[in-house]
């Protein structure tokens, strides 16, 4: 790792430590441990299964965006899990870049086009989560920290929309046969070309449909994990917590979002008058329900493919 990446990783660890302290400072360790011990494992296992189905729909959406029928759906599902595993243990969410590289090799397409497909995949998630957050806000008050998340999410939508418009205008105006020197420039050009291609209403609606299904399943998982520790959330409350957790982890932190995830869980449930001990137990189980399975499954996929390559 370069010095800049090391410093960035250390900064993320420091931020995670601050948020972790904010999450646990008012909690009683013995009460949290008791809540975890009394949790109903069946609900947590159901949440794990629901997350798995959600990842499958993510793979279906990404395959539709990439438009590479020569690569099977199973391989896309494997790349999604492997990318999540890398994000869990490596800094700066390198898993997104890695899965673009894997797709480029699997489908024999330029790396920039593969990276553009990952970018569009993430755009769909952001749009769906902002919609869910706006819906969920009807169930809670809006303190300063939540207002910042909402403003940041809306700004992200504006920036993403402007980027797509720029890519569309750029691809229309430039000379298509002009060659570029340098790999980075070529990747950037191919990425812009991918983002600037016309999508069509039907494809966009299909992608957003997969996105809404994915995050509806995420809300179901939130409800199940809440039930496991005795927190009975309504549908709109589950939507709010799921979207707040997913958008809030955009805050720079250590790999796996340790600290920021716990604080978001405690803070969002605090708006629903859930005691801090139960809220912290929920956040721990909620993170474990996706972190552990994706790390193990994605790591196994990476290890198996590495052995096959050898």
């Amino acid at each position: 790792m370069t010095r800049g990446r090391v410093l960035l990783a250390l900064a993320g660890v420091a931020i995670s430590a601050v948020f972790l302290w904010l999450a646990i400072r008012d909690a009683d360790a013995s009460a949290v441990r008791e809540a975890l011990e009394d949790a109903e494992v069946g609900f947590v296992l159901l949440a794990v299964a629901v997350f798995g189905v959600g990842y499958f729909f993510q793979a279906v959406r990404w395959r539709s965006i990439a438009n590479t029928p020569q690569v099977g759906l199973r391989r896309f599902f494997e790349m999604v899990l492997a990318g999540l595993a890398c994000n869990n243990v490596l800094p700066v969410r390198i898993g997104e870049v890695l899965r673009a590289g894997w797709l480029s090799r699997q489908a024999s397409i330029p790396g920039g086009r593969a990276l553009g497909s990952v970018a569009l995949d993430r755009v769909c998630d952001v749009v769906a989560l902002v919609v869910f957050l706006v819906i969920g806000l009807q169930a809670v008050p809006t303190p300063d920290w939540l207002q910042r998340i909402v403003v940041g999410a809306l700004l992200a939508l504006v920036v993403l929309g402007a980027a797509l418009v720029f890519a569309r205008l750029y691809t229309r105006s430039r000379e298509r046969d002009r060659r570029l020197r340098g790999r980075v420039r070529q990747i950037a050009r191919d990425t812009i070309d991918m983002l600037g291609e016309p999508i069509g209403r039907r494809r966009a609606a299909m992608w957003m449909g997969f996105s809404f299904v994915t995050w509806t399943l995420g809300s179901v998982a939130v409800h199940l994990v809440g039930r496991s520790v005795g927190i009975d959330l309504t549908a709109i409350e589950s939507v709010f917590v799921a979207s707040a957790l997913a958008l809030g982890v955009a805050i720079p932190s250590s790999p796996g979002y340790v600290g920021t995830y716990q604080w978001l869980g405690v803070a969002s449930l605090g708006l629903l008058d859930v005691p801090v001990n139960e809220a912290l137990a929920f956040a721990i189980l909620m993170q474990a329900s996706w972190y552990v399975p994706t790390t193990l499954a994605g790591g196994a996929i990476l290890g198996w493919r590495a052995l096959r390559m050898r």
Side-chain angles (χ1 to χ4, degrees), residues 160-175:
L160 292 173
L164 292 177
V165 170
F166 166 78
R168 181 63 175 157
L169 295 175
Y170 179 78
T171 53
R172 282 181 174 180
S173 62
R174 73 173 179 83
E175 298 178 7

Side-chain angles (χ1 to χ4, degrees), residues 133-134 137 142 145-155:
L133 183 60
V134 171
L137 287 177
T142 52
W145 67 268
L146 185 55
Q147 291 178 14
R148 294 189 187 98
I149 290 179
V150 174
V151 171
L154 294 176
L155 286 176

Side-chain angles (χ1 to χ4, degrees), residues 222-281:
V222 166
H223 179 78
L224 291 170
V225 175
R227 287 284 302 275
S228 73
V229 292
I231 303 172
D232 194 8
L233 298 173
T234 65
I236 193 170
E237 290 171 346
S238 299
V239 166
F240 163 70
V241 174
S243 57
L245 285 171
L247 287 172
V249 294
I251 300 170
S253 63
S254 63
Y257 323 119
V258 176
T260 53
Y261 200 88
Q262 283 70 39
W263 177 79
L264 286 164
V266 171
S268 59
L269 288 176
L271 297 178
L272 301 172
D273 298 323
V274 176
V276 64
N277 296 323
E278 287 78 0
L280 183 56

